[in-house]
């Protein structure tokens, strides 16, 4: 770069408008929109669109509500000419849509251009010639007079030929003239040539008869305020302003195309010509999506519909074969994604405040205004959810595969997952050298993501889980916020062996990842998570999608996707994590649970719990695990520091009476009957026979449920207070073999003695009996004090 660029580059020459009006103007309505994707955008592509692609794009523009579409430069190629004829002859053009065709000021090209639109209902003939000194003096070597004569002569020809076409085919024409390179043309000469063209056309009138002057920023050579000055100058000096439409055609060479368009409208522009997402020559044409949604966020209806912006993105990227930048306003895959903790916290609080404001506004019948930190537009208005970020990729074919997955498996895959799975399907297609069927695709999906039952189950599978939480300590810095810590307690099937794993994190998924890191040496992190509902009402399920990466490498080029479906949202997320982890670990060897070695000081609480779940199928609650672990540690110390697997299981059975018939228990239930008491109050009454310290006794008790009724019955026999601190249950087995497992932690306090507690566990085909037996086994080991009779004997 030069030390003094002023020796090579001239600055722009500003206009001296002392009372310019545009800085004080505001937006009140949307301009007229013209899409030039199929012409200006198409000519900027390395591989111009085929007729099929242009037709697809045209239909999408119509669907978005664009009413004026520049479809081609028909005289430039047979492809463009045939495309326009196809639109006309196949009646693709709605009655309220004007197609526009471009031609330079040359007779043979004008004739062929008019031939291309003959028979359509509405057409705009767009003619141009370059007017700036650079083009007049260097390219064409024409004087100002010759440049005006060229434009006037060909405008008269356009009038003659369009009138002949109207008489013969009924096509209604409007005329657009462009002084090409307007921004580099002397402002007074631009007005002069347009006046001459208007006079030559001779048909400009108010309303629908207005002619169009396109004032392009063909190459952006000055800041947007200068373009606004040029537009205001033109609008002030052109005569019969009410008979013309001033159309803006900004390019983006300086990166200020959006600003040029917006300031140009404030300066008097009526119409904007651009492309969806800013495709075009060099740095592109002005982006119509950006402009329209800028208006929308100011409460102005843009008259363009981008309520399904991902569909629009898919069509545009497919037809242009160009990606949309992940930071592109409104449409990029990262524009609604907050990575910063402070941003996430602000957005979280914003949603909470928004909900309250909306409730208050609804109660008052007032508008529910959107006011969110970091989110200038509600993602829902663009067809997005709050949980998922917008993910865009131009990979061809992914949309069709994603559609089939959604139709047959009811899964709406995230955009990046679509790309990942598309590569799997491509590999199948290359290998099989045949058409890939729906069954191929769904089977490949199930196999890849271990989704759809035991047939596709991976090395790791979720058996059961419990998520608990504890409040985070008060932060020292009162400006910072901390989430509750979550505890994951679960059982996994690991290479056919049931393992108990435990972990902690900021949420269920991070807690599971912590458990995998601790117990299986699997160190992974989540980069992306999204979810959606499947069905509604009682049949509703949650589908969760997770992308995981190696921990500590947020920019990793390697990642694995997982999918989980469950009626519980936490369950679906956990299954999704394991789905992805199964892909990540491949056939890597995992640390084994060495049950035969025994348990010593190096073994943890989860190892002991794993032994119990493998031996008996019992998934002990976390507090129960901790209580039994203390029992195991004492027993191991007494036996020289180790305890064998067999001794461990024997210890569990003798400690809690599990697997025994109950005849040796201090308290056991021989028979009982549970009845409802009262009308619709849910209270239960127990009438039963128990064995209490070797004696058979008839007991009775009432409570809000079976266990509280049993406690009431016991209180008639013992001193002090028995209370249930924790109760848990789950099923063991499947089908006709299933039994219920119940866990009760019982506390006992009598007089001034210290409160004691013990766990009871039991299984039974009847859930009520398993719960009662678990409670009584806990009571048996608490050595309850029998009530005394008046004569001093025990009751």
């Amino acid at each position: 770069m030069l030390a003094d660029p002023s020796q090579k580059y001239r600055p722009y020459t500003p206009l001296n408008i002392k009372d310019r009006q545009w800085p004080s103007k505001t937006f009140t309505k949307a301009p007229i929109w013209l899409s030039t994707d199929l012409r200006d955008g198409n000519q900027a592509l390395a591989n111009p669109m085929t007729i099929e692609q242009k037709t697809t794009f045209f239909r999408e523009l119509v669907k978005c509500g664009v009413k004026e579409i520049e479809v081609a430069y028909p005289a430039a190629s047979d492809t463009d000419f045939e495309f326009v004829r196809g639109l006309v002859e196949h009646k693709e053009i709605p009655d309220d849509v004007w197609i526009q065709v471009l031609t330079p000021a040359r007779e043979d090209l004008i004739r062929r251009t008019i031939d291309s639109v003959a028979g359509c209902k509405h057409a705009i003939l767009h003619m141009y010639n370059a007017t700036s000194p650079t083009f007049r003096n260097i390219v064409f070597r024409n004087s100002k007079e010759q440049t005006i004569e060229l434009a006037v002569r060909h405008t008269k020809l356009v009038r003659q030929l369009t009138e002949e076409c109207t008489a013969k085919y009924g096509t209604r024409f409007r005329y657009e003239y462009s002084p090409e390179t307007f921004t580099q043309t002397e402002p007074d000469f631009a007005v002069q040539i347009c006046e001459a063209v208007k006079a030559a056309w001779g048909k400009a009138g108010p309303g629908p008869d207005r002619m169009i002057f396109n004032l392009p920023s063909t190459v952006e050579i000055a800041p947007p305020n200068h373009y606004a000055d040029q537009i205001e100058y033109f609008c002030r000096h052109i005569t019969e302003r009410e008979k013309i439409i001033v159309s803006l055609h900004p390019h983006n060479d300086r990166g200020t195309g959006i600003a040029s368009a917006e300031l140009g409208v404030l300066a008097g522009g009526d119409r904007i010509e651009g492309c969806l997402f800013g495709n075009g020559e060099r740095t592109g044409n002005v982006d119509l999506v950006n402009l329209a949604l800028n208006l929308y966020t100011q409460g102005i209806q843009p008259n363009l519909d981008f309520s399904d912006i991902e569909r629009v993105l898919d069509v545009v990227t497919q037809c242009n074969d160009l990606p949309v930048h992940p930071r592109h306003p409104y449409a990029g895959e990262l524009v609604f994604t907050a990575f910063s903790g402070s941003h996430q916290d602000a957005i979280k609080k914003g949603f909470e405040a928004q909900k309250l404001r909306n409730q208050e506004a609804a109660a008052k019948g007032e508008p529910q205004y959107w006011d969110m930190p970091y989110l200038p537009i509600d993602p829902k208005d663009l067809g997005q959810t709050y949980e998922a970020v917008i993910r865009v990729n131009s990979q061809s074919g992914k949309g069709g595969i994603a559609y089939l997955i959604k139709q047959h498996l009811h899964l709406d895959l995230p955009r990046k997952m679509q790309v990942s799975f598309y590569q799997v399907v491509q590999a199948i297609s290359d290998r099989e050298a045949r058409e890939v069927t729906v069954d191929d695709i769904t089977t490949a999906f199930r196999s890849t993501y271990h989704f759809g039952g035991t047939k596709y189950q991976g090395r790791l599978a979720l058996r059961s889980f419990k998520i608990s939480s504890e409040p985070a300590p008060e932060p020292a810095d009162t400006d910072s916020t901390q989430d509750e810590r979550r505890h994951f307690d679960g059982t996994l099937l690991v290479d056919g062996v049931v393992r108990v794993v435990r972990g902690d994190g900021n949420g269920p998924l991070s807690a599971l990842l912590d458990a995998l890191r601790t117990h299986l040496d699997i160190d992974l992190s989540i980069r992306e998570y999204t979810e959606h509902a499947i069905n509604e009402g009682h049949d509703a399920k949650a589908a969760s999608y997770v992308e995981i990466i190696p921990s500590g490498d947020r920019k990793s080029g390697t990642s694995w996707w997982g999918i989980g479906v469950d009626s519980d949202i936490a369950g679906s997320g956990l299954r999704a994590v394991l789905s992805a982890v199964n892909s990540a670990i491949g056939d890597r060897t995992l640390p084994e649970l060495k049950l035969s070695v025994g348990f010593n000081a190096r073994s943890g609480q989860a190892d002991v719990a794993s032994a119990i779940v493998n031996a008996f199928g019992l998934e002990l609650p976390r507090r129960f695990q901790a209580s039994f672990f203390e029992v195991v540690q004492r027993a191991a110390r007494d036996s020289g520091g180790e305890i064998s697997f067999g001794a461990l299981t024997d210890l569990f059975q003798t400690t809690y009476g599990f697997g025994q018939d109950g005849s040796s228990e201090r308290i056991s239930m021989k028979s009982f009957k549970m009845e409802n008491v009262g009308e619709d109050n849910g209270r239960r009454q127990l009438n039963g026979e128990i064995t209490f310290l070797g004696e058979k006794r008839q007991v009775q008790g009432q409570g809000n449920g079976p266990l509280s009724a049993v406690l009431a019955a016991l209180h008639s026999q013992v001193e002090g207070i028995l209370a249930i601190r924790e109760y848990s249950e789950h099923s063991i087995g499947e089908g006709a073999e299933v039994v219920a497992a119940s866990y009760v932690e019982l506390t006992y306090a009598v007089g001034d003695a210290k409160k004691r507690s013990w766990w009871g566990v039991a299984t039974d085909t009847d859930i009520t009996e398993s719960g009662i037996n678990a409670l009584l086994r806990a009571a048996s080991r608490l050595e309850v004090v029998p009530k005394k009779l008046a004569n001093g004997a025990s009751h």
Side-chain angles (χ1 to χ4, degrees):
M1 296 178 66
L2 300 177
D4 184 7
S6 68
Q7 299 303 304
K8 184 173 183 179
Y9 299 101
R10 296 189 185 94
Y12 75 95
T13 303
L15 290 176
N16 184 19
I17 304 178
K18 295 181 179 179
D19 59 342
R20 57 176 57 86
Q21 300 297 307
W22 64 261
S24 61
K25 299 285 183 66
T26 57
F27 291 96
T28 58
K29 64 178 182 178
I32 303 165
W33 306 107
L34 174 111
S35 162
T36 187
D37 290 271
L38 302 177
R39 199 279 302 173
D40 213 353
N42 185 56
Q43 75 178 21
L45 299 176
N47 297 304
M49 286 181 265
T50 63
I51 289 178
E52 291 75 16
Q53 287 175 314
K54 292 189 77 172
T55 302
T56 298
F57 207 131
F58 178 83
R59 290 170 179 166
E60 185 60 34
L61 291 169
V62 170
K63 190 178 293 186
C64 291
V66 184
K67 300 302 182 185
E68 298 185 9
I69 304 172
E70 189 166 60
V71 294
Y73 182 163
S77 69
D78 290 340
T79 299
D80 272 14
F81 186 89
E82 292 303 325
F83 167 63
V84 180
R85 291 309 307 156
L87 293 179
V88 176
E89 293 167 4
H90 298 140
K91 301 188 184 305
E92 291 277 357
I93 310 166
D95 288 346
D96 62 344
V97 170
W98 290 72
I99 62 169
Q100 180 167 302
V101 282
L102 178 73
T103 179
R106 218 176 89 182
E107 181 174 347
D108 58 331
L109 301 183
I110 292 171
R111 289 183 181 276
R112 184 158 175 79
T113 300
I114 293 174
D115 287 343
S116 73
V117 297
C120 74
K121 188 167 185 178
H122 296 128
I124 301 172
L125 195 291
H126 179 191
M127 191 191 79
Y128 70 92
N129 67 311
T131 57
S132 66
T134 300
F135 277 77
R136 293 197 315 262
N137 300 331
I138 298 174
V139 180
F140 300 114
R141 297 185 180 180
N142 283 339
S143 65
K144 288 183 177 180
E145 292 74 20
Q146 288 172 316
T147 303
I148 293 174
E149 191 277 331
L150 179 72
V152 168
R153 173 161 42 90
H154 288 89
T155 295
K156 292 178 179 178
L157 178 63
V158 168
R159 173 170 177 167
Q160 172 195 332
L161 296 177
T162 54
E163 287 175 348
E164 291 174 359
C165 185
T166 300
K168 187 174 182 179
Y169 296 103
T171 301
R172 181 182 173 191
F173 284 93
R174 292 163 66 194
Y175 182 46
E176 175 173 341
Y177 171 72
S178 288
E180 192 193 8
T181 61
F182 164 79
T183 49
Q184 293 166 286
T185 300
E186 304 92 325
D188 57 340
F189 181 62
V191 173
Q192 183 183 358
I193 195 169
C194 287
E195 288 284 11
V197 167
K198 176 157 63 74
W201 178 244
K203 295 165 58 175
D209 294 324
R210 290 182 296 172
M211 73 173 297
I212 304 167
F213 283 126
N214 176 29
L215 308 180
S217 178
T218 309
V219 178
E220 193 176 37
I221 48 83
N225 61 292
H226 180 61
Y227 187 55
D229 280 348
Q230 290 176 310
I231 300 302
E232 182 166 330
Y233 181 93
F234 183 90
C235 291
R236 285 189 182 193
H237 290 84
I238 193 78
T239 61
E240 301 179 298
R241 176 65 180 86
E242 73 283 359
K243 294 181 180 181
I244 65 169
I245 292 172
V246 172
S247 188
L248 312 177
H249 187 109
H251 279 254
N252 199 43
D253 299 270
R254 292 169 54 91
T256 58
I258 294 291
S260 292
E262 291 183 332
L263 298 187
V265 168
L266 296 179
D270 306 299
R271 182 177 185 251
I272 298 177
E273 306 180 4
C275 295
L276 302 187
F277 308 118
N279 178 42
E281 295 161 303
R282 302 178 309 281
T283 57
N285 289 58
V286 72
D287 177 6
L288 297 187
V289 178
N290 200 158
L291 286 169
L293 294 178
N294 281 356
L295 287 175
Y296 183 80
T297 61
Q298 298 300 303
I300 298 172
Q301 173 53 251
N303 301 322
L304 293 178
D305 182 9
F306 297 117
S307 56
D308 187 355
I309 201 165
E310 287 192 6
R311 184 201 71 225
V312 181
L313 276 164
D314 281 341
V315 171
V316 174
T317 54
Q318 175 192 352
C319 293
N320 286 344
D321 195 25
L322 287 174
V324 171
H325 195 279
R327 299 294 182 188
H328 194 98
Y330 302 109
E333 63 178 311
L334 299 176
V335 295
F336 298 131
T337 303
F339 294 108
S340 161
S342 62
H343 288 206
Q344 292 169 346
D345 181 62
I347 291 171
K348 173 179 175 292
K349 292 175 179 176
F351 274 118
E352 293 169 354
Q354 181 78 30
K355 183 178 180 180
L356 293 175
R357 282 198 310 273
N358 285 352
Q359 291 173 346
E360 294 172 358
K364 298 176 182 178
E366 297 174 349
Q368 299 178 20
Y369 288 111
W370 179 259
D371 184 11
M372 285 286 295
Y374 301 112
L375 292 176
I377 192 171
D378 187 347
K380 281 189 174 181
D381 290 351
L382 304 181
Q384 306 305 312
T385 66
Y386 299 135
E387 292 79 12
V389 297
I390 294 178
R391 296 286 177 181
V392 179
N393 193 291
S394 62
Q395 295 283 334
S396 175
K398 72 185 187 303
I401 294 169
Y403 174 77
L404 292 175
I405 293 295
K406 186 174 183 180
Q407 290 294 107
H408 294 273
L409 298 181
H410 310 293
L411 301 173
D412 194 1
L413 306 184
R415 312 298 283 182
K416 284 179 65 180
M417 191 176 185
Q418 291 178 26
V419 175
S420 177
F421 182 55
Y422 173 63
Q423 295 169 355
V424 174
V425 176
Q426 261 195 329
I428 295 173
S429 178
D430 293 342
R431 183 178 65 250
E432 300 292 336
R434 61 173 176 81
E435 181 183 358
V436 180
T437 66
V438 171
D439 186 58
D440 291 329
I441 292 172
T442 54
T443 300
F445 184 87
R446 292 181 187 277
S447 299
T448 301
Y449 301 110
H450 312 285
F451 174 77
T454 55
K455 180 179 179 181
Y456 302 99
Q457 187 169 283
R459 296 176 62 191
L460 307 184
L462 184 66
R463 283 274 300 262
S464 65
F465 71 93
K466 179 181 179 182
I467 303 296
S468 55
S469 62
E470 65 179 14
E474 289 294 327
D477 180 3
T478 56
D479 291 334
S480 64
T481 58
Q482 291 182 320
D483 294 329
E484 289 184 332
R485 297 290 292 173
R486 300 299 175 95
H487 304 300
F488 172 88
D489 291 88
T491 55
L492 306 181
L493 197 63
V494 182
D495 292 331
V497 177
V498 180
R499 300 282 293 271
V500 173
V501 298
R502 304 173 62 188
D504 303 320
N506 292 326
L509 305 193
S510 60
L512 171 58
L513 288 171
D514 180 60
L516 296 177
R517 189 178 303 112
T518 300
H519 298 281
L520 297 174
D521 195 26
I522 298 172
D523 194 9
L524 299 166
S525 299
I526 294 174
R527 178 156 65 188
E528 183 169 334
Y529 170 83
T530 185
E531 66 193 37
H532 66 78
I534 301 175
N535 300 324
E536 296 179 356
H538 297 298
D539 297 327
K541 289 186 176 181
S544 297
Y545 308 88
V546 170
E547 183 189 21
I548 62 171
I549 54 174
S551 284
D553 187 5
R554 295 293 303 174
K555 297 181 180 180
S556 172
T558 302
S559 67
W560 301 271
W561 278 92
I563 163 69
V565 173
D566 199 287
S567 56
D568 176 74
I569 185 61
S572 71
L574 296 171
R575 294 181 193 281
V577 168
L578 291 177
S579 167
V581 169
N582 276 313
S583 297
I585 62 175
D587 57 0
R588 164 184 150 194
T589 301
L590 297 177
E592 296 181 4
L593 176 63
K594 298 178 180 178
L595 300 175
S596 60
V597 174
F599 293 86
N600 50 37
R602 294 185 302 274
S603 297
Q605 186 173 309
D607 299 317
V608 173
S610 292
I612 298 303
V613 74
N614 279 283
F616 306 119
L618 298 175
E619 301 168 8
L620 305 185
R622 178 181 278 229
R623 287 171 55 82
F624 197 169
Q625 293 178 26
S627 179
F628 181 53
F629 186 60
E630 292 180 5
V631 174
V632 172
Q633 285 181 314
R634 287 194 295 270
R637 284 196 299 269
D638 293 342
S639 61
E642 291 192 357
I643 184 170
S644 68
F645 177 60
L648 174 75
T649 54
D650 289 343
L651 178 64
F652 182 82
Q653 290 181 292
T654 56
T655 302
Y656 302 105
F658 180 73
Q660 302 171 6
D661 60 10
S663 59
S664 61
E665 299 292 336
R666 299 179 73 230
I667 308 173
S668 63
M669 184 71 68
K670 306 303 292 183
S671 64
F672 72 92
K673 183 177 181 181
M674 197 71 66
E675 298 177 335
N676 291 324
V677 180
E679 297 182 1
D680 301 327
N681 59 10
R683 287 187 65 76
R684 310 294 293 278
Q685 177 170 301
L686 169 81
N687 294 289
E689 180 181 325
I690 65 172
T691 298
F692 187 82
L693 305 179
E695 297 181 8
K696 292 183 179 180
R697 297 184 180 180
Q698 298 296 320
V699 294
Q700 185 181 82
Q702 289 188 15
N704 293 326
L707 299 191
S708 59
V710 174
L711 281 181
L714 289 180
H715 282 137
S716 68
Q717 307 295 316
V718 304
E719 299 285 350
I721 302 297
L722 290 163
I724 296 173
R725 175 181 286 165
E726 184 173 337
Y727 173 79
S728 179
E729 64 186 43
H730 65 81
S731 61
I732 302 175
E734 297 180 357
E737 305 297 324
V738 70
V739 296
S742 298
Y743 309 88
V744 174
E745 185 183 18
L746 200 63
T747 64
Y748 179 55
V750 56
D752 295 330
K754 183 179 178 181
K755 182 186 292 186
R756 305 192 302 275
S757 68
W758 199 258
W759 281 91
V761 55
T763 59
D764 200 283
T765 55
D766 181 79
I767 185 65
T768 300
E769 290 203 27
S770 69
I772 291 173
N773 289 335
L775 186 151
L776 293 177
R777 286 181 178 174
S780 294
R781 284 160 174 73
L782 283 171
E783 298 184 359
V784 295
V785 179
K787 279 191 174 179
K788 296 183 180 297
L789 300 178
N791 60 7
S794 296
H795 180 50

